[in-house]
Structures are given as C-alpha cells and as structure tokens.
Amino acid sequence: MDSFLISPNGPLKGSVQISGAKNAVLPVMAAAMLADGVSKISNVPQLKDTKTMSDVLRVTGCRIKQNENDLSIDSSDINHLEAPYELVKTMRASFYVLGPLVAKFGKCRVSLPGGCAWGPRPVDLHLKGLEALGAKINVTHGYVEALCDGRLKGNTFSFPISSVGATANILMAATLAEGTSILQNSSIEPEITALANYLIEMGAEISGVGTRTLIVKGVEKLKPGNGQTIADRIEAGTFLAAAAITRGKVKVTAMVPEHQGALLEVFKNIGCEISIGENWVELDAENKELMPTHITTLPYPGFPTDMQAQLMAVLATVKGTSSVRDTIYNDRFKHVSELERLGAEISLKEDTAIINGGNELTGAQVMASDLRASAALVLAGLVAKGQTEISRIYHLDRGYENFEGKLSKLGAKLERVHKS
Ligand code: EPZ
C-alpha cells in the first residue's frame, strides 16, 4: 500500500487546473445505462472511483472505453442486471445503477453499500423513492432486489431530508416512468443539476432544474448522451485550503466560482484575500495573520461536508478557538485523532469539533481513513515541522487526480512511496 512522505517547503505559489468532478461523473455514468447505444462523457477524471464505476457497468454488459479524460459507454447489450457486493462495498456510488436498471429492465439486484470509514450510510430514501414509483423492493442476503411489472409509474415523492444520492437515483428512474413525477425537496448540489442537464441531453423531459422541485415527464426511450463533466468544487476547495494553510498565494483555474459561495465566505472570514474571475479563484494568505471561525456544514449551497476535514486542518494552524459542526454526518471525524498526532489540539463534542488552534504542528506517521480525511492530513503535512508519513493513501486516489503532481507544481515537497 502506498504512502506519502511530506516535508514543509514554505508557502504554496502558482496556479493549478482543476479536474472534472468525481461526484458529477459517477451518476452520469450510471445514467448512460438508460439509453441503448454509445454515450460519451468528456473531462472525466482518471480516479480509482471512476475505474470502479466502469467495472460495475462492465459487469452488467456495458462496454467502456476511456481515452485519457474521454469516456464512452456502450449500453446496447446489458445482459446481467446485478451489481455485486465485491464492487459496491468499495464504492457507495455503485448504488446509482439501481434506478436506471429497474427503470429500463423492470428488475435488478444491487448489493447494499454498507457503511464507510466514518459510520452508517443508509439507503432507505433511495428505496422509498423507487417504491413511490411502483417498484417492489425486497432486501435480502445483503442485496436489494427491485422488481416492476412493465414501466415504473410517475408519482409525487418528497425527500424527507436532502439526499444527493437518492435524488440522483430517483431522478434517473423517473425519466423512463409512465407519466409525470414531482420530486420535492430534491438536492440542488451542482452535481445534480449537471446530471439533470445530461439526462435532458439524452431526451429526458425535466423541468425545475436547479430547484428543490424537479418535474419529470417520463418518456419511453432515451438516446445516448454526450456531455462534459463539470469542475470538481471539492478538489478546487482543497487546493484553496492548501494555499491558506501554507499562507501562500494560489490561483485555482478551470473551476466554477459560483459553486464555492459558502467556502469562499469562510476563507474571507478568516482573513484570506479572495479574487474571483470567470473560471478561476485566487486565494492570497501571504504574511496574513488568519483568524479563528465557526463552521457548520449544510446541504448546498451551505458549507459542504466534504470540505470540513480540510478546513479543520487549516484552523488547527490559526491561533484561537474555532469549531466545525457537521450536520450531514455527525460522526465524520476520523481525521481528528490523526491531526492530533501532528500536534493539533481538538476536542469532540457530539457533532462538533472544537479546535484550539495555533500550536506548532510536528511531522509524524499518520494513517488515512477516508478520502477527505486523507486530504486534510496532506494539508497538515505541508506545514508540520519535520517529515510526515501518511499511509493508506489509496483513499486519496479515489477522488483526487494527480494530487501529488499538482501539489508539487505549487512548490510542495512530497513523494509517493510504494510499499508492498
Ligand atoms: C454524496 O453522498 C457524495 N458522494 C458525498 O461525497 C457527500 O459527502 C454527500 O453527498 C453529501 O453532500 C457522491 O456524490 C458520490 P447523501 P451521498 O445521500 O449521496 C442521509 C466524497 O467525499 N441519507 O446526500 O451518499 C445520509 O446518511 C463523498 O466525495 C439517509 O438517511 O450523501 C446523510 O446524513 C463522501 N438515507 C445525508 O442523508 C438515504 O437513503 C446526506 O447523504 C440517503 C442518505
């Protein structure tokens, strides 16, 4: 298993180009199954998770070709309506095949995703939404079996809480249902808007895109899609956090500033200078005395839970008392004990971490536990005195394309060590 060796090397400087969004391309790959023929997706990041999703689609009979960042998915000959545990357990987003398969074929068998590093990840909203569209759901032996005589039936369904994954699954299923579906309290994350736009390009009839009420007029068939993956707002935020923690000056390009509202407010609140262009954001923290702050994660457009670990690392270097409350996953704090090994002073109280910032961080051996926790450890390693070794960085490879290459280009001193 690979590790990173990181040593401090001063403020990061320069510009970095952001890749396509993992959390946008994964549902769009599943959406390709709704059509017969070859769908194309560009600006696809080369990640462990996109490879896993390709493997899941291949198991069903899809033929996949990836040439650098261009992906084609031929879903003409799907003949195996199952997503096996071996793959689904490694990546929860595999569960996105449930909606498309039951909508198009009237049956499928998908493994339950199970939990993740920081706790349970239920799928009850996905199942309730499909039942509302007329699917018969049976959960047995760790698998979800979904059945439907003929087409799913359009219906009104209100999500009790905002769920990105459930919105994606039900939206995809509703596109082929008979009649109209009204999906209330849908998630409005940019990744859902991107999915809806891709489905419309495939011939789906969806209105209310970008709002919490999606109205889907079911159609009999969809044609293969063709679209570009939106920029990864979490990767962009992670590089802005790297500039802040090293007190550097970094321009993040090929991104969508409008997707970063809540995050940019936090960077400004702690004293970073933010400049914004059409498709770039520059963060300048050079020679700045940053201030503590209090963060609460919320569904979009609130502060994203996928950025709380990275900001916790930044706040550990800011003198004073800060706090990070995660209202989405109240146990997403696996990074806390590892940050403490690097000298951070953090106490946990239910869903809130209190950071007594300003201690000097010192290098240590730490272990990555999940994708964003790993990113937080890398950020801390950029400023911890001495060398930091981060093991199990396969977690990082799931969601950051060429992370070490992009960081090194900004002046970071890190190398990947291959360990058998
Ligand atoms: C997506 O996960 C993202 N993953 C996550 O990013 C992200 O943290 C999360 O949305 C929240 O923004 C992908 O897009 C592949 P949810 P998802 O359904 O869809 C509860 C990363 O680091 N819930 O919006 O699984 C759930 O427990 C990953 O890139 C139910 O109770 O998240 C959580 O508290 C990590 N029942 C809340 O809803 C359900 O059926 C939001 O979860 C589904 C969810």
Side-chain angles (χ1 to χ4, degrees):
M1 285 196 266
D2 291 0
S3 295
F4 269 163
L5 293 179
I6 309 179
S7 304
N9 198 30
L12 294 190
K13 295 216 175 97
S15 76
V16 58
Q17 182 170 321
I18 295 305
S19 300
K22 164 178 86 81
N23 292 352
V25 71
L26 294 175
V28 165
M29 289 173 73
M33 304 172 90
L34 290 162
D36 285 326
V38 182
S39 292
K40 295 188 182 327
I41 314 169
S42 61
N43 196 32
V44 173
Q46 297 184 64
L47 302 169
K48 197 153 165 278
D49 274 12
T50 41
K51 288 185 181 56
T52 302
M53 189 55 123
S54 294
D55 292 343
V56 172
L57 298 185
R58 281 194 187 96
V59 165
T60 68
C62 291
R63 283 182 295 278
I64 315 266
K65 278 202 202 89
Q66 176 146 10
N67 171 13
E68 301 234 322
N69 297 106
D70 292 324
L71 193 68
S72 71
I73 299 171
D74 183 351
S75 54
S76 315
D77 304 318
I78 291 176
N79 56 15
H80 184 66
L81 306 177
E82 177 161 325
Y85 173 65
E86 296 68 39
L87 287 172
V88 178
K89 74 177 177 183
T90 67
M91 183 188 66
R92 174 184 169 77
S94 319
F95 207 64
Y96 283 146
V97 304
L98 181 66
L101 286 177
V102 70
K104 189 174 169 191
F105 299 98
K107 65 175 180 176
C108 67
R109 190 168 175 269
V110 177
S111 166
L112 283 168
C116 69
W118 68 77
R121 300 282 295 277
V123 290
D124 55 312
L125 303 182
H126 298 244
L127 306 185
K128 286 197 184 86
L130 289 175
E131 284 174 329
L133 298 183
K136 296 278 171 293
I137 300 288
N138 179 26
V139 180
T140 172
H141 302 297
Y143 276 77
V144 173
E145 292 172 352
L147 278 173
C148 176
D149 300 335
R151 292 171 66 186
L152 292 172
K153 302 284 178 294
N155 198 352
T156 296
F157 179 72
S158 178
F159 294 94
I161 57 169
S162 179
S163 162
V164 173
T167 301
N169 239 331
I170 308 315
L171 174 61
M172 289 189 279
T175 59
L176 291 182
E178 194 175 344
T180 299
S181 298
I182 301 174
L183 306 181
Q184 297 166 331
N185 195 29
S186 298
S187 291
I188 55 171
E189 271 68 2
E191 294 76 24
I192 293 295
T193 297
L195 171 65
N197 290 332
Y198 193 88
L199 288 166
I200 289 168
E201 202 279 331
M202 293 174 76
E205 295 184 26
I206 305 170
S207 57
V209 176
T211 77
R212 291 203 177 282
T213 302
L214 295 171
I215 300 169
V216 188
K217 191 167 172 302
V219 295
E220 291 205 4
K221 276 180 83 63
L222 290 175
K223 64 181 177 45
N226 188 353
Q228 174 168 335
T229 309
I230 61 169
D232 192 319
R233 60 193 170 99
I234 305 301
E235 184 196 16
T238 303
F239 280 103
L240 293 172
I245 200 169
T246 59
R247 308 303 187 266
K249 183 175 179 180
V250 170
K251 185 175 187 178
V252 175
T253 65
M255 63 174 284
V256 182
E258 299 77 60
H259 291 167
Q260 309 283 349
L263 184 66
L264 298 182
E265 278 314 301
V266 167
F267 284 126
K268 283 184 221 165
N269 290 346
I270 65 174
C272 299
E273 209 171 301
I274 297 287
S275 315
I276 296 177
E278 197 194 325
N279 68 347
W280 59 266
V281 168
E282 182 175 73
L283 185 144
D284 180 356
E286 280 188 310
N287 310 312
K288 296 226 178 349
E289 182 72 30
L290 300 185
M291 283 95 71
T293 191
H294 302 284
I295 292 171
T296 298
T297 69
L298 286 169
Y300 191 86
F303 186 92
T305 173
D306 292 348
M307 280 300 304
Q308 63 100 330
Q310 299 91 312
L311 261 290
M312 197 182 292
V314 174
L315 295 172
T317 69
V318 174
K319 213 168 185 48
T321 302
S322 297
S323 69
V324 174
R325 180 173 176 233
D326 199 326
T327 67
I328 312 285
Y329 300 110
N330 50 28
D331 45 8
R332 189 178 190 171
F333 293 113
K334 284 269 182 221
H335 41 286
V336 169
S337 50
E338 298 305 299
L339 288 172
E340 285 180 311
R341 283 182 52 72
L342 296 169
E345 218 179 299
I346 305 171
S347 60
L348 276 180
K349 195 168 174 317
E350 290 163 6
D351 61 358
T352 303
I354 314 285
I355 301 111
N356 181 16
N359 297 1
E360 180 181 64
L361 301 185
T362 54
Q365 287 173 304
V366 289
M367 187 168 74
S369 55
D370 62 84
L371 173 55
R372 308 305 174 182
S374 322
L377 295 177
V378 172
L379 298 187
L382 294 173
V383 294
K385 213 164 148 60
Q387 187 178 76
T388 295
E389 178 177 0
I390 305 176
S391 60
R392 303 190 180 185
I393 54 161
Y394 58 85
H395 290 291
L396 267 176
D397 299 335
R398 292 191 51 179
Y400 288 98
E401 187 178 46
N402 186 19
F403 198 43
E404 64 258 44
K406 291 179 178 179
L407 279 171
S408 304
K409 191 168 156 279
L410 295 172
K413 193 164 169 245
L414 79 164
E415 63 169 313
R416 182 183 288 255
V417 177
H418 297 289
K419 288 196 166 174
S420 52

